[in-house]
Every structure is written in C-alpha cells, then in structure tokens.
Amino acid sequence: MTVRTRFAPSPTGYLHIGGARTALFSWAYARKHKGVFILRIEDTDVERSTPEAVQAILDGMQWLNLEYDEGPFYQMQRMPRYKEVLAQMMVTGDAYLCYTSPAELDALREAQRLKGEKPRYDGRWRPEVGKVLPETPKDIKPVVRFKNPNDGVVAWDDLVKGRIEFQNNELDDLIIARSDGTPTYNFCVVVDDWDMGITQVIRGDDHVNNTPRQINILKALSASVPKYAHLSMILGDDGQKLSKRHGAVSVMQYDDDGYLPEAVLNYLARLGWSHGDEEVFSVAQFCEWFDLDHITASAAQFNTEKLKWLNNHYLKVADNSRLAAMVHGRLEKRGVKIIATPNLEAVIALYKERVSTLNELADAAEVFYIDLVPEQALLDAQLSAEAIPALNEFVEKIERVVWDAASIVGLIKELIGKHGLKMPKLAMPLRVMLVGQTQAPAVDGLIALFSREQVIARVKKHL
C-alpha cells in the first residue's frame, strides 16, 4: 500500500512552529516511504478563515521547501461530497436529526454540572427500537448527529503514544452537520481522509480526543482506518506553553528575523525526534533516517539559543553569493544603496562566521555602504595621542602600497615597529574609523575590502 500522509491546517491564522513541525514530519514520512504528501486547507470555519491566512500557509510551506504532491484541497469546495455522505448516513441510520434547541442544551449541561456529571448530550432525539421520540418542533432547525455506539471500546495503537482506549459510553452523539446544513470539522476530516486514502495521520496531540469519534465514523462508513501518530506539544524556552514571546509566531517571521529555512527545518526535526546524537543534518539525511519510533511522547522544549547556533552553522557553510543576495535585499529595504566596492560577497565571506542571523550579517555589511559616523566616545577611547603620528604616516604611505591584505599588514607592522606601538594601538582606531566598532575581523582583511580612496577618506575624517 502506498503511504499517503497529509497536512491539514485551518486558515484562521499564520503557519506557526508547531504546525510547521507537523507538516515536516508528515512530509518526511511520505518521502521516506516514497509515498504521497497532501496539503489540505480546512477552511470550514467561515467566520475565522481568511484568504490572507491561506496565503500565509502557502508561503510558509514554500519557504520551508515542503513541496506537496497533491493539493491544496479546500474543504469549502468539497461541500457536495460531504452532503452526499451525510445523506447516505441518514439512510443507513448512522446519523439522525436532533431538534434540541441551544437553550435546552444549556439547561441540560447546567443540570449535569450541578449533579457533578460530565456535560454531554443525553440522546433525547436518538432513534432506538421501541423508543417514542418527542414531537417534531416547527420552529427549530435540526442539526445532524452521528449515532455513536453505546457500548464497547474504541481503541488504536498510537504510533507515538502507544495504546489508547476510550469507552464508547463516554462519547456522546457528535454533531456532524449544523442547523444550516454545513458539516462540522470532525465529519469533514473523516470524509477527506477516506476519500484521499490517507494511511498515516500525523498531527498534534490536541487531536487525541477527536480520534475515537473519527474512528467510529470511519467504521460506520466501512472505510479503512488510518494509523494515527499524535505529536506532543512544544513548550517555550521557559518550559511554559509556547507563546508569541518565544516561538509561536508565523514561520515567515523566522525569515524576517534572518533565519535560513534549512536551519529552521533542522531545528524542527530535533523537536521531539532524534537519530542518535546527530544534531546537524541535511533534509535528505532527515528523510532517510526519519521514523515514528524515535518520536518522544513527552513535550519538546523550544530553545532559541540552539536555533541561533544551528543558523550560525548553516550561515558558515552557505554559498556566499546566495547570502549576498539575501543581505542585498535586506539592505535595500533599509534604503542602503549597494555600490561595487566593497564587494558584498567579500564582506559576507569575512563576517558570516561571526553572526547568528542574516539580519546581523546585514548589520555588519551596512557600515561599508553608508556615510559612517562612529560614536565619538568609542573613537576617543581608542584614538590615543601616541597613535596619531602613526596614523598620519599610514594615510600617507597607504597611497603607494599594493592593494592586498599581505601588503597592508606589512605596512601596519612597519609603522608599529617604527613608532614603538603594540598592534591594538593602531588596529583598534583603524577599525573604529572604518566600521565604527572594535569587534571586527583582522584589520588587514578589513582594510582590503574597501577601495584605497575609501580608506584614506574615512581615516582622514577623524584625524
């Protein structure tokens, strides 16, 4: 049987990190088994679903390079199919009309709460042999309820959590179509998984309570039941439920914040799954190694510092021209015009090992292309009186030096020897004059990035 998995987000918000991990695991499982990965948009919540949220999901999937083989399918476009199955269930007796009003349901639940009972529908409109149903009210539009089995157990061997069982008498008769005729979430999911031949459902463990209901509906339809894998939740850096403060933001926010998609994917892969002690691996390796046996049933914890560490690794090994294109776009948004000298790729090569994000890389590159004004306090701290004669001589002699790092450092060594200085006494003020900071790469390589004229102008301005 061909493996068929799906990712089925609701477009009521952005694609967040938890959803992205679910998509990644579902995608990787299909790739591992040479199967099919399907994208399905569950947009039946008309009031909360928006075109912008749909686009955010599609953008997030594209940025992460999680390509889908089929879809995207939209539930709102499948309404005729849902109504066809609803009609079929009414004929077979697996579903029935319920005329209980919202006010009656509220009163029922309140009475049950007062008795200390679990609030649930009492089956008053459920047809049974020998049972006399109430008179049909004329002013109530009925809902459609699924006739859940009254006894027995519904169970499955969860591919992450192990054996899970529910007593059927604990499950009331679920509404599968609202009074306006629109089908509900749990019903649409069942029909979709059935029609699309889904073999493994990989999703968050907030769906565990939906699963027994969905299994029972599938069985009533004589449909095959997929295998289920429920992923544990992701906690924030502080061990609390993930919030916007630490990770529960749009996947595209990670792009805005300067993370590479391969770093985010590598990080997501390790949130609740492991392959020995491997921390850094390619997407291809992940697909080769991925299985559901090594997903932990306990909650995973988000660690921003580890994500930054991974991003730093991927920046180091990334192609300089690719990084330059990304940084160029970021600098353009800031209104910074990139000129031919310094060469942006050369700037990237010098700085990429020193930063954690593309935004930090853009910050480092920006000072090469603007009319830099170093902080006066920083300049005063680094520019000593004893260094000024050496700097003046540097400006004079740099005009005749071969323009490469080796020749430049040769001149600097000559000057510190002649003037009896230590290297930092000359190198530090040069760094500040050129890029406005002391924490910069080796001064010879830094100077060589600029044109001769740029170096002379920047140094002269502060002498």
Side-chain angles (χ1 to χ4, degrees):
M1 181 183 293
T2 301
V3 164
R4 293 175 63 85
T5 66
R6 47 78 161 180
F7 176 52
S10 297
T12 54
Y14 42 71
L15 175 60
H16 57 76
I17 212 73
R21 182 187 64 164
T22 298
L24 172 62
F25 284 10
S26 300
W27 174 84
Y29 191 83
R31 293 292 172 266
K32 167 71 176 285
H33 296 280
K34 296 180 172 53
V36 176
F37 175 61
I38 297 165
L39 177 63
R40 188 169 78 216
I41 307 296
E42 298 187 340
D43 57 350
T44 55
D45 188 343
V46 178
E47 290 184 3
R48 296 175 61 220
S49 297
T50 66
E52 293 77 17
V54 171
Q55 192 58 51
I57 291 166
L58 298 177
D59 290 345
M61 296 289 285
Q62 182 178 31
W63 184 69
L64 291 170
N65 296 312
L66 297 179
E67 71 279 6
Y68 36 90
D69 305 299
E70 295 179 13
F73 297 107
Y74 296 87
Q75 287 185 328
M76 286 301 292
Q77 296 175 5
R78 287 176 45 79
M79 285 296 154
R81 172 58 177 158
Y82 303 139
K83 291 181 179 180
E84 176 190 350
V85 178
L86 281 168
Q88 172 190 331
M89 294 180 72
M90 290 293 294
V91 170
T92 59
D94 293 306
Y96 62 93
L97 298 178
C98 171
Y99 292 87
T100 310
S101 69
E104 288 177 309
L105 282 174
D106 288 342
L108 172 64
R109 290 179 185 128
E110 182 59 28
Q112 289 168 333
R113 272 193 288 267
L114 290 173
K115 293 178 184 176
E117 298 173 355
K118 178 181 176 181
R120 52 177 298 166
Y121 174 65
D122 60 2
R124 62 184 64 179
W125 286 94
R126 178 183 173 118
E128 302 283 7
V129 176
K131 178 179 178 180
V132 178
L133 296 178
E135 185 178 346
T136 303
K138 294 186 173 63
D139 57 342
I140 300 289
K141 288 186 177 180
V143 299
V144 178
R145 288 185 182 271
F146 170 61
K147 195 175 183 182
N148 195 76
N150 274 331
D151 50 23
V153 173
V154 55
W156 72 96
D157 293 311
D158 197 276
L159 299 173
V160 172
K161 296 181 174 295
R163 185 74 172 174
I164 298 178
E165 297 184 356
F166 284 79
Q167 297 294 323
N168 273 319
N169 59 17
E170 289 293 313
L171 305 172
D172 58 4
D173 290 352
L174 180 73
I175 294 175
I176 56 176
R178 303 175 183 90
S179 58
D180 63 1
T182 59
T184 58
Y185 164 78
N186 275 299
F187 179 73
C188 294
V189 167
V190 165
V191 177
D192 289 341
D193 286 346
W194 178 28
D195 286 355
M196 296 174 190
I198 302 303
T199 56
Q200 281 81 17
V201 172
I202 302 169
R203 59 188 180 187
D205 64 3
D206 52 327
H207 288 284
V208 166
N209 288 335
N210 292 327
T211 303
R213 299 180 180 279
Q214 293 173 10
I215 289 174
N216 280 342
I217 298 173
L218 283 164
K219 287 181 175 178
L221 293 169
S222 299
S224 57
V225 177
K227 295 178 180 178
Y228 293 91
H230 289 93
L231 309 176
S232 59
M233 70 185 331
I234 301 173
L235 303 177
D237 293 88
D238 57 2
Q240 301 301 309
K241 184 178 178 181
L242 203 62
S243 68
K244 289 182 180 179
R245 189 165 50 85
H246 46 207
V249 295
S250 167
V251 162
M252 298 311 294
Q253 184 65 48
Y254 288 91
D255 180 27
D256 292 343
D257 291 346
Y259 291 93
L260 295 173
E262 58 265 39
V264 174
L265 283 174
N266 191 158
Y267 184 71
L268 287 177
R270 289 289 282 112
L271 274 179
W273 174 87
S274 63
H275 181 77
D277 295 326
E278 299 287 347
E279 292 285 353
V280 180
F281 41 81
S282 68
V283 172
Q285 286 174 314
F286 176 56
C287 290
E288 180 184 339
W289 293 338
F290 183 69
D291 57 24
L292 299 172
D293 297 335
H294 290 86
I295 296 176
T296 178
S298 56
Q301 188 159 349
F302 195 88
N303 185 320
T304 303
E305 290 308 309
K306 189 166 184 180
L307 174 57
K308 283 186 176 180
W309 173 82
L310 265 176
N311 204 56
N312 170 256
H313 164 78
Y314 281 101
L315 286 170
K316 288 178 183 177
V317 300
D319 181 75
N320 291 336
S321 62
R322 177 191 172 208
L323 295 180
M326 293 176 171
V327 169
H328 193 291
R330 281 168 162 73
L331 292 178
E332 279 193 332
K333 284 182 180 178
R334 301 179 186 185
V336 177
K337 185 178 179 182
I338 308 300
I339 54 179
T341 304
N343 176 273
L344 183 55
E345 281 191 37
V347 174
I348 297 300
L350 196 62
Y351 276 89
K352 69 178 186 177
E353 295 194 10
R354 306 170 65 89
V355 299
S356 296
T357 68
L358 284 167
N359 291 354
E360 291 175 9
L361 195 52
D363 292 340
E366 180 177 340
V367 297
F368 289 85
Y369 303 100
I370 60 175
D371 185 14
L372 179 70
V373 181
E375 291 181 19
Q376 192 60 47
L378 184 60
L379 189 60
D380 292 342
Q382 299 300 330
L383 184 57
S384 62
E386 58 188 320
I388 290 177
L391 286 165
N392 280 317
E393 191 169 348
F394 171 83
V395 170
E396 177 191 335
K397 290 189 173 181
I398 200 71
E399 292 189 9
R400 300 184 295 277
V401 167
V402 175
W403 204 251
D404 59 38
S407 301
I408 291 168
V409 78
L411 172 60
I412 292 173
K413 287 179 178 178
E414 174 193 327
L415 293 174
I416 61 175
K418 178 179 177 180
H419 292 272
L421 302 172
K422 294 194 178 208
M423 178 64 83
K425 284 290 184 180
L426 192 57
M428 285 299 195
L430 282 172
R431 284 193 182 100
V432 174
M433 291 170 179
L434 292 173
V435 295
Q437 54 195 254
T438 57
Q439 297 300 312
V443 71
D444 53 332
L446 186 66
I447 292 171
L449 286 176
F450 292 94
S451 69
R452 193 188 308 268
E453 294 72 24
Q454 287 171 322
V455 171
I456 292 170
R458 290 197 179 202
V459 175
K460 267 187 172 181
K461 187 163 60 171
H462 302 292
L463 287 177

